Structures are given as structure tokens and as C-alpha cells.
Amino acid sequence: MYHYLDNPRLQLWFYSPNICASFLCMAALALLGFYLYLIEDKYDLAGRVLLGRIGNGILRKLTSRRLALLPQARCLCYIHLIRRFIAFILLLLVIAGEYLLAVTYSRGGYLAFLSGLGLMWFFSKRKRILSLALVFLLVLFSISGGAKRFSSMA
């Protein structure tokens, strides 16, 4: 077990905390990518499969009262809600991964995760990704010795 300022460093089943941090970094970024895929509206595959391209366009123009009359549209609404729920669960898993990454006290893991978030922010249409960087820094500075470990990277 590795220690930093009398705090045990998380290493799970890996050889060292740095290897654990690289795994957690890749897992959190992959989950974030799945989250971004699920909340993207243009990838509404369920609507295209159920109703086809024309039916999907018609559904967007209908009001909510007319939407309730079509069983396919009702199914589409449920699928949309399920996609949003799964996206919310993925976001919670990303935040849990950020916490686990923070308690590894791996400076390389911190840098890799923040770099990955920066690249995702740059190439994504959703600019809310920076809020996850702020959540990560908040978690990092809230754990004991996290601020000192982060400041030692410079």
C-alpha cells in the first residue's frame, strides 16, 4: 500500500496507484463520451428505427396531444426518457470516477484527465464539459493533501 502524507493511495487491484489512475482516467473519459453520445439529439436512432426518416420528422412537428395518439410516438418518448436516465447514471459514474482518480494522488492521472477533458471540450458542441473539470478540481481540493499534491506538479 502506497502512502502520501499519511494518506493511503488508492490502487485497487493494480500494481501501483499510477497505473490505477491511468485506468480510471480512461474509464471516466470513455463514460463521458458515452454520456455525450446519449444526450446528443441528432443521434436519435430509436426514432429512425421505429418510424423511419419521414415519420421522425413528422413527430417533431406534432403537438403533445397528437403525439399521445400514436403508439409508436409514445414508445419513442419512453425510449427518450430511458436514454436520458442512462445518461444521468453515466454522469454520476464519471463523477465517482473523478473522486477515485483524486484519491490515487497520481499527478500524471490528474494531468491526463484534465487534458482529456480539455480535448473533449474543444471538439464537442456541448461546452458544459468544463463544469466537470471544476467538479474534479473541487473534489481534488476537498480531499486531504489533494491541494498540496496538485500544487507540486508545477
Side-chain angles (χ1 to χ4, degrees), residues 65-77:
R65 288 185 184 174
R66 292 182 189 161
L67 192 66
L69 299 176
L70 298 172
Q72 294 94 352
R74 199 174 310 136
C75 181
L76 180 63
C77 290

Side-chain angles (χ1 to χ4, degrees), residues 11-145:
Q11 69 185 41
L12 297 176
W13 56 85
F14 295 100
Y15 174 70
S16 76
N18 295 328
I19 296 171
C20 178
S22 66
F23 169 76
L24 290 171
C25 177
M26 289 185 297
L29 290 175
L31 288 174
L32 183 60
F34 291 140
Y35 166 77
L36 290 174
Y37 176 77
L38 283 177
I39 64 171
E40 196 70 37
D41 289 332
K42 73 178 185 176
Y43 298 114
D44 193 3
L45 296 177
R48 291 183 187 164
V49 169
L50 286 176
L51 300 171
R53 180 174 277 168
I54 296 170
N56 195 17
I58 292 171
L59 272 180
R60 293 179 191 263
K61 294 179 182 177
L62 292 175
T63 62
S64 61
R65 288 185 184 174
R66 292 182 189 161
L67 192 66
L69 299 176
L70 298 172
Q72 294 94 352
R74 199 174 310 136
C75 181
L76 180 63
C77 290
Y78 291 140
I79 290 173
H80 183 72
L81 286 175
I82 291 170
R83 284 179 61 207
R84 293 292 177 172
F85 178 73
I86 292 172
F88 178 71
I89 297 297
L90 286 175
L91 188 62
L92 290 178
L93 288 174
V94 168
I95 293 173
E98 287 179 350
Y99 173 75
L100 291 175
L101 181 63
V103 295
T104 61
Y105 295 101
S106 172
R107 293 174 290 196
Y110 300 160
L111 189 62
F113 185 71
L114 291 175
S115 300
L117 279 179
L119 284 173
M120 286 183 118
W121 172 80
F122 184 74
F123 290 112
S124 175
K125 293 179 184 175
R126 304 277 180 169
K127 299 302 180 185
R128 289 181 277 171
I129 296 176
L130 282 183
S131 62
L132 285 174
L134 294 175
V135 167
F136 177 66
L137 291 175
L138 185 74
V139 166
L140 184 62
F141 292 137
S142 67
I143 61 172
S144 63

